[in-house]
Amino acid sequence: MRIDVLSIFPEYLEPLRLSLIGKAVTDGLLELSVTDPRSFATDRHRTVDDTPYGGGAGMVMKPEPWALALESVLQAGPGDAAASPPVLVVPSPAGEVFTQDVAYELAAEEHLIFACGRYEGIDERFLEWASGEVRVRPMSLGDYVLNGGEVAVLAMTEAVTRLIPGVIGNPESLAEESHTGGLLEYPVYTKPSEWRERSVPETLLSGHHGRIARWHRDQQLERTARRRPDMIFALDPATLDRADLAV
Ligand SMILES: Nc1ccccc1-c1cnco1
């Protein structure tokens, strides 16, 4: 997979060079590049924003530097050799909600491009023009407001790249995470078995794998029902067994 990030604050994306994602790059599992649209601004002041038509507060990002930046990364990417056009993910409070299912969808793509808008957003004509070149997906992390897309890109890039085969050391750990199978993950414990007069649940010390698996599933169902009842209602009943229904 190749990931390109377009941002006028490229230093914001430095954390992507660390840890698992940085190792995926050095292991050749991922190509990562950051491009600054400001370097494509042609005027003396390298202008990337201006006041909004129709008035209102704030500034809007001019379309041309973004279009030139996108064209430059399209030339550097897999291009025609790719099975389908790249996906341009545009972090936005007005986007579809990013979920684990979306993360799996994006992890299957050959070329992802993230456009980190700031201020009041990017001129809509850039997105309209880009939709003729790539698949455009405005994407929200949730119903709250950020100052720009960079933080959202850090989160989405981590959620996506960890799903690429070989990036996570033990792929089994992906199977029991929150949101895998539609449930939140169960609580976890480690040594010491007694800590500040608090014990580890005795089932986990029993060595009885069947009882432990049942305890894990019960905890997932109880925690999900308590913290995210919306996820319980979204469950496919076919995935529940008789013991689940007794929880
Ligand atoms: N508020 C924002 C401003 C700019 C770019 C993304 C966002 C965003 C993404 N998810 C929630 O908010």
Side-chain angles (χ1 to χ4, degrees):
M1 174 187 285
R2 178 182 172 96
I3 292 181
D4 283 285
V5 183
L6 310 181
S7 168
I8 61 170
F9 293 122
E11 63 277 11
Y12 228 114
L13 287 305
E14 276 309 301
L16 294 180
R17 304 287 176 194
L18 305 174
S19 187
L20 272 179
I21 298 174
K23 186 174 182 302
V25 173
T26 50
D27 290 351
L29 296 171
L30 173 70
E31 282 180 86
L32 176 67
S33 177
V34 181
T35 300
D36 183 350
R38 192 182 298 278
S39 55
F40 294 88
T42 51
D43 64 308
R44 188 158 59 91
H45 298 295
R46 316 290 292 276
T47 308
V48 291
D49 64 324
D50 207 330
T51 54
Y53 280 118
M59 302 289 273
V60 174
M61 303 194 88
K62 298 170 70 68
E64 184 63 6
W66 287 91
L68 294 172
L70 179 59
E71 287 173 333
S72 76
V73 302
L74 288 175
Q75 284 157 17
D80 297 339
S84 55
V87 175
L88 177 67
V89 178
V90 185
S92 164
E96 66 177 290
V97 177
F98 182 74
T99 64
Q100 191 66 11
D101 287 345
V102 173
Y104 273 105
E105 285 173 33
L106 297 180
E109 295 291 341
E110 283 188 59
H111 190 191
L112 293 182
I113 304 167
F114 291 96
C116 302
R118 295 196 76 82
Y119 313 126
E120 300 311 309
I122 306 171
D123 187 303
E124 191 66 17
R125 290 170 294 178
F126 164 67
L127 301 178
E128 290 167 5
W129 166 81
S131 61
E133 309 291 322
V134 293
R135 288 172 286 156
V136 179
R137 292 185 72 169
M139 200 69 68
S140 168
L141 286 193
D143 295 335
Y144 47 84
V145 181
L146 301 169
N147 290 330
E150 285 80 4
V151 166
V153 168
L154 290 175
M156 289 190 277
T157 301
E158 177 159 317
V160 170
T161 54
R162 64 195 299 278
L163 301 178
I164 297 171
V167 171
I168 289 273
N170 174 13
E172 285 180 24
S173 59
L174 294 178
E176 297 193 332
E177 294 179 327
S178 280
H179 302 282
T180 300
L183 294 174
L184 300 182
E185 57 197 11
Y186 50 77
V188 291
Y189 301 84
T190 188
K191 301 179 187 62
S193 60
E194 291 292 330
W195 175 76
R196 294 192 184 188
E197 298 176 14
R198 294 174 187 274
S199 304
V200 171
E202 64 174 53
T203 302
L204 300 183
L205 305 177
S206 69
H208 190 296
H209 298 299
R211 284 179 54 200
I212 291 170
R214 186 65 254 163
W215 185 88
H216 281 161
R217 179 76 174 175
D218 290 352
Q219 290 294 313
Q220 282 184 286
L221 289 162
E222 285 174 18
R223 179 177 267 196
T224 306
R226 192 172 346 108
R227 297 181 182 175
R228 289 291 306 274
D230 59 297
M231 289 174 64
I232 288 285
F233 293 120
L235 275 178
D236 174 1
T239 63
L240 300 175
D241 61 32
R242 185 180 296 274
D244 290 340
L245 301 176
V247 172

